[in-house]
């Protein structure tokens, strides 16, 4: 069976669309979609719904039944060859009699990369790798970073005026951007594992930090609070406190610690730097909790800390067509900033579009863990 390139890309695009259905649900596993094709007919397809459940290939094989014999499989990620929470998929494909396998990208895990492909080839199955590879890599950019480093993929989300202000000199920030941008932000929350803010955001705005998406789910709410100043009546503590994580330091009062833990809030006592939570330590701990993606919606100081430490993997910037002006209004980044232009952070692989009345820019800091190309979240 030989397809033209346009056919290969068509079926791989279908696999990618299936894989995207698992966004925000598969951690710490990747998003994977699989399509079994015979002639011009799809005989089976599926995607990985959530961690611990059947992989995409197995779902597709089950739907195809006997029709899988002699079929071609299109899958955005190399079939696994090792035992995890579920059995390996490569042997199942061999047993089912699949004739050809088209793979978008190899497994990024250095310990297993290429082993599933080799197992298939050793069994006499034709294997081709690299169909829509850039799109496949982008879809699982968070998984790729996590599996290689053990740390979550960090997305910094900014809502700002055109002159770079995130609040007025009196602290007013609701709402700088328009309704369409805010809906986009809630869809993004629905697709990440964790949402991080600083204690200043809690004290000033008292947000719920939920994803108000029909049929969606809320990410873990992570609050940087080095001295446990969070009020007992904070909204993030009122609803499902088990999904609230407070990152603090040895400076936290014992009484506050005990009171929060009694309510079911998870408190992480982490290393500190200058009296603040050491972000590298936090990311390591979140990775150990199997969080693959982290959305940072911080104020100036939190944004500045992530910038200074070089911890930003991707940026989503929403610019409203407004100007606040002045030197007292809060800028996007706090801290001392770059001393020279040579030290300035440069964004790469930019995508620009309008969302409602706002300008949206998506990009990757150079030298960060970035994909070469990407699929939009919207």
């Amino acid at each position: 069976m030989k397809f033209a390139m346009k056919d290969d890309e068509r079926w791989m695009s279908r696999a990618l669309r299936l894989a995207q259905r698992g966004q925000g649900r598969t951690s710490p596993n990747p998003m994977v979609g699989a399509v079994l094709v015979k002639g011009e007919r799809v005989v089976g397809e599926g995607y990985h719904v959530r961690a611990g459940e059947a992989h995409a290939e197995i779902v597709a094989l089950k739907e195809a039944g006997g029709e899988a014999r002699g079929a071609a499989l299109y899958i955005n990620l190399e079939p696994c060859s090792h035992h995890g929470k579920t059995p390996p998929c490569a042997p199942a494909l061999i047993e089912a009699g699949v004739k050809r396998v088209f793979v978008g990208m190899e497994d990024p895990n250095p310990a297993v990369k290429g082993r599933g492909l080799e197992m298939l080839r050793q069994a006499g199955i034709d294997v081709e790798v690299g169909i829509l590879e850039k799109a496949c890599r982008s879809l699982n950019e968070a998984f790729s970073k996590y599996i290689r480093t053990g740390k979550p993929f960090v997305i910094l989300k900014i809502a700002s005026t055109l002159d770079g202000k995130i609040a007025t000199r009196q602290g007013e920030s609701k709402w700088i951007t328009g309704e369409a941008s805010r809906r986009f932000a809630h869809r993004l929350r629905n697709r990440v594992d964790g949402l991080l803010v600083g204690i200043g955001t809690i004290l000033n705005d008292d947000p719920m930090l939920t994803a108000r998406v029909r049929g969606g789910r809320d990410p873990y709410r992570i609050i940087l609070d080095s001295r446990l100043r969070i009020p007992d009546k904070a909204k993030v503590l009122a609803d499902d406190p088990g999904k609230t994580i407070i990152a603090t330091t040895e400076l936290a009062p014992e009484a506050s610690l005990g009171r929060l833990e009694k309510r079911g809030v998870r408190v992480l006592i982490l290393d500190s730097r200058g009296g603040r939570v050491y972000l590298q330590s936090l990311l390591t701990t979140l990775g150990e909790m199997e969080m693959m993606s982290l959305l940072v919606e911080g104020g100036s100081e939190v944004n500045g800390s992530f910038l200074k430490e070089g911890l930003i993997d991707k940026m989503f910037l929403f610019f409203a067509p407004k100007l606040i002006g002045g030197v007292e209004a809060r800028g996007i980044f706090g801290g001392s900033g770059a001393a020279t232009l040579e030290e300035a952070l440069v964004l790469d692989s930019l995508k620009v579009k309008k969302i409602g009345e706002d300008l949206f820019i998506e990009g990757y800091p150079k030298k960060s863990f970035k994909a070469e190309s990407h699929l939009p979240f919207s």
Side-chain angles (χ1 to χ4, degrees):
M1 186 190 310
K2 178 64 178 176
F3 294 118
M5 180 57 72
K6 62 179 181 180
D7 292 318
D8 293 341
E9 293 182 353
R10 172 162 62 100
W11 298 124
M12 188 62 74
S13 292
R14 183 163 177 159
L16 281 166
R17 288 194 297 272
L18 285 167
Q20 282 184 304
R21 295 181 185 178
Q23 280 185 330
R25 309 297 186 271
T26 64
S27 297
N29 293 346
M31 292 173 278
V32 183
V35 181
L36 280 165
V37 180
K38 218 169 188 178
E40 282 291 305
R41 184 167 55 94
V42 173
V43 296
E45 62 183 12
Y47 68 99
H48 185 44
V49 175
R50 61 180 57 85
E53 295 193 11
H55 287 189
E57 306 96 307
I58 304 304
V59 176
L61 287 173
K62 184 176 181 180
E63 183 177 289
E67 289 271 34
R69 187 162 298 278
L73 173 71
Y74 288 83
I75 187 165
N76 58 295
L77 183 68
E78 174 184 353
C80 61
S81 59
H82 61 288
H83 281 271
K85 292 181 180 178
T86 59
C89 297
L93 295 171
I94 296 168
E95 185 178 351
V98 172
K99 185 178 181 180
R100 300 192 71 186
V101 175
F102 294 85
V103 177
M105 62 176 285
E106 290 186 335
D107 191 319
N109 186 346
V112 299
K113 183 177 181 180
R115 292 186 180 180
L117 303 178
E118 183 60 26
M119 183 180 292
L120 296 174
R121 290 182 175 124
Q122 288 291 332
I125 296 175
D126 291 334
V127 178
E128 186 172 335
V129 182
I131 308 298
L132 297 184
E133 183 173 6
K134 288 184 178 181
C136 292
R137 288 187 179 279
S138 175
L139 182 67
N140 278 307
E141 60 191 359
F143 171 74
S144 293
K145 180 191 177 182
Y146 173 79
I147 202 67
R148 293 178 186 177
T149 69
K151 296 178 181 179
F153 186 84
V154 177
I155 303 168
L156 182 65
K157 178 250 175 184
I158 304 293
S160 168
T161 60
L162 285 177
D163 56 342
K165 306 297 184 181
I166 63 173
T168 68
R169 59 186 173 85
Q170 294 183 338
E172 185 181 353
S173 60
K174 292 183 179 179
W175 297 104
I176 284 180
T177 52
E179 185 178 344
S181 292
R182 296 197 296 275
R183 287 198 302 266
F184 181 100
H186 281 284
R187 294 200 301 273
L188 180 57
R189 288 180 179 183
N190 177 51
R191 296 169 183 173
V192 296
D193 299 323
L195 169 61
L196 182 144
V197 301
I199 185 59
T201 296
I202 301 297
L203 296 175
N204 295 329
D205 301 332
D206 194 21
M208 296 173 66
L209 302 181
T210 54
R212 292 182 278 282
V213 176
R214 181 177 295 179
R217 68 94 179 89
D218 297 329
Y220 280 94
R221 303 177 289 261
I222 301 144
I223 300 152
L224 297 175
D225 187 2
S226 59
R227 297 176 184 269
L228 290 186
R229 293 186 291 149
I230 189 167
D232 288 336
K233 294 183 179 180
K235 290 178 182 177
V236 291
L237 301 179
D239 181 36
D240 195 7
K243 293 208 74 171
T244 297
I245 299 169
I246 299 182
T248 191
T249 67
E250 70 281 356
L251 300 174
E254 287 290 336
S256 298
L257 177 64
R259 186 167 61 250
L260 288 166
E261 290 182 335
K262 188 175 181 179
R263 294 184 64 174
V265 176
R266 182 163 184 173
V267 180
L268 305 177
I269 302 177
L270 302 168
D271 295 336
S272 62
R273 294 290 187 277
R276 296 185 176 183
V277 173
Y278 182 43
L279 295 178
Q280 290 280 11
S281 179
L282 172 62
L283 293 182
T284 297
T285 301
L286 295 180
E288 291 170 351
M289 295 169 63
E290 298 189 336
M291 286 194 199
M292 282 196 331
S293 54
L294 179 67
L295 178 64
V296 177
E297 294 189 12
S300 295
E301 293 305 312
V302 171
N303 296 343
S305 295
F306 273 88
L307 177 68
K308 180 181 179 181
E309 297 298 322
L311 301 176
I312 304 167
D313 295 306
K314 190 173 188 175
M315 292 190 70
F316 284 170
L317 300 107
F318 299 82
F319 288 105
K322 301 172 183 176
L323 299 170
I324 290 178
V327 296
E328 295 180 21
R330 297 177 193 167
I332 294 174
F333 294 104
S336 56
T340 66
L341 286 176
E342 191 174 86
E343 296 174 1
L345 183 72
V346 178
L347 293 184
D348 197 7
S349 304
L350 291 183
K351 282 201 170 184
V352 182
K353 67 177 181 180
K354 283 201 72 179
I355 296 182
E357 64 203 44
D358 303 322
L359 183 66
F360 173 69
I361 300 177
E362 177 180 352
Y364 298 85
K366 280 191 175 180
K367 298 183 180 180
S368 74
F369 197 95
K370 76 176 187 66
E372 296 178 43
S373 176
H374 55 281
L375 296 173
F377 275 89
S378 56

